[in-house]
Amino acid sequence: MAVRAVRGAVQLERDESGHMDEQVKQLLTAIMERNGLTTDDLISIWFTATPDLHSDFPAAAARGLGIVDVPLICAQELDIAGALPRVVRVLAHIESELPRSEVAHVYLGAAAALRKDIAQ
């Protein structure tokens, strides 16, 4: 079993706790489904949020999905002029038999513009 990293992101329409919860859950569910993962395959998850998001912790959505015994951490993304606003990014470390080239990185909605080279 290899250790792999999976990336993902979603752009929120507004900075509201319920909306963040919904969108982050959708992102995490897509990452898990597209890579055939269960919570037992998760090692840790890093979340970043752009500085314009402050209604909630993205990690709270993961806990709401039942990801309760996996280390999670939230941080603020760099405040770069012209960057896409209201974005939550994910970096999940996983155990998987997938070759690195077959790991599905998930960029939902407008966030797909962040990594056109790996968004699936």
Side-chain angles (χ1 to χ4, degrees):
M1 190 75 62
V3 173
R4 300 283 183 231
V6 183
R7 286 290 319 273
V10 63
Q11 184 183 38
L12 306 184
E13 295 175 15
R14 58 194 175 279
D15 183 25
E16 294 176 1
S17 179
H19 180 61
M20 179 183 290
D21 184 71
E22 172 188 298
Q23 294 297 300
V24 173
K25 283 180 177 176
Q26 182 180 357
L27 175 61
L28 291 173
T29 299
I31 288 171
M32 303 275 292
E33 288 176 355
R34 294 182 193 181
N35 288 288
L37 302 172
T38 69
T39 55
D40 288 338
D41 299 319
L42 300 173
I43 297 169
S44 65
I45 305 174
W46 280 81
F47 297 90
T48 65
T50 51
D52 52 0
L53 293 175
H54 42 78
S55 63
D56 205 350
F57 294 100
R63 298 290 183 221
L65 282 177
I67 302 172
V68 295
D69 62 350
V70 175
L72 308 175
I73 193 163
C74 298
Q76 188 174 73
E77 190 69 36
L78 294 173
D79 190 10
I80 304 298
L84 196 62
R86 299 177 317 280
V87 175
V88 174
R89 291 172 172 85
V90 171
L91 173 63
H93 300 98
I94 63 169
E95 291 181 325
S96 176
E97 295 293 342
L98 290 173
R100 186 176 294 141
S101 62
E102 291 182 24
V103 171
H105 305 284
V106 180
Y107 290 79
L108 300 178
L114 295 172
R115 290 298 307 264
K116 293 178 183 176
D117 58 324
I118 64 172
Q120 298 176 354

